[in-house]
Amino acid sequence: MVRDKIPDIMGALGKNFNTRTLDEPEYAESLRKKLQEESEEYLNADNNQDALKELADVLEVMHALVQTHGATFEELEHIRQHKRKERGAFKDRVYLMDVEEERNA
């Protein structure tokens, strides 16, 4: 899956290529794979600038994925804020090392 303007860019460069439009199930599956691809590219970024560019790609894929779930990004943001209020964020850098199970007496 590529961004919408990539075929135009390739055409302007004189490249020969073929494309097709995905149906809804293919589109959703391709977006999931694209999210994984873009996340891996982020994890492999060597510097802050490249990392931010990859995060922008992740965010673009997320915008598209939200629509496949019949929602808006504003709705997703509302869910994020609710979870943040209930469970917190990640700003305190807390790392959970282990949890002891309660023993029944």
Side-chain angles (χ1 to χ4, degrees):
M1 171 166 267
V2 297
R3 287 177 176 262
D4 300 337
K5 293 183 180 181
I6 297 300
D8 294 337
I9 293 168
M10 292 174 65
L13 295 172
K15 305 278 185 182
N16 292 320
F17 59 89
N18 295 302
T19 63
R20 72 179 180 89
T21 302
L22 301 173
D23 63 25
E24 287 298 322
E26 289 175 312
Y27 178 59
E29 180 62 25
S30 291
L31 284 171
R32 287 173 182 252
K33 289 178 183 176
K34 191 68 173 179
L35 179 61
Q36 184 173 18
E37 175 189 320
E38 297 298 349
S39 295
E40 288 171 9
E41 289 177 7
Y42 165 72
L43 292 171
N44 292 321
D46 292 333
N47 56 64
N48 287 338
Q49 184 178 359
D50 289 345
L52 289 172
K53 287 180 182 178
E54 297 306 332
L55 283 174
D57 289 341
V58 168
L59 190 56
E60 191 65 43
V61 174
M62 288 178 61
H63 275 270
L65 277 166
V66 166
Q67 291 179 344
T68 69
H69 293 288
T72 65
F73 207 78
E74 290 77 19
E75 290 172 292
L76 179 64
E77 178 62 16
H78 176 75
I79 293 167
R80 185 194 69 81
Q81 288 177 8
H82 177 75
K83 290 184 81 168
R84 183 179 194 159
K85 181 179 177 185
E86 295 293 316
R87 297 177 175 220
F90 296 98
K91 66 181 180 174
D92 292 341
R93 298 185 259 168
V94 176
Y95 185 83
L96 183 63
M97 295 176 55
D98 57 51
V99 176
E100 289 187 28
E101 296 294 326
E102 290 186 36
R103 295 182 187 183
N104 293 334

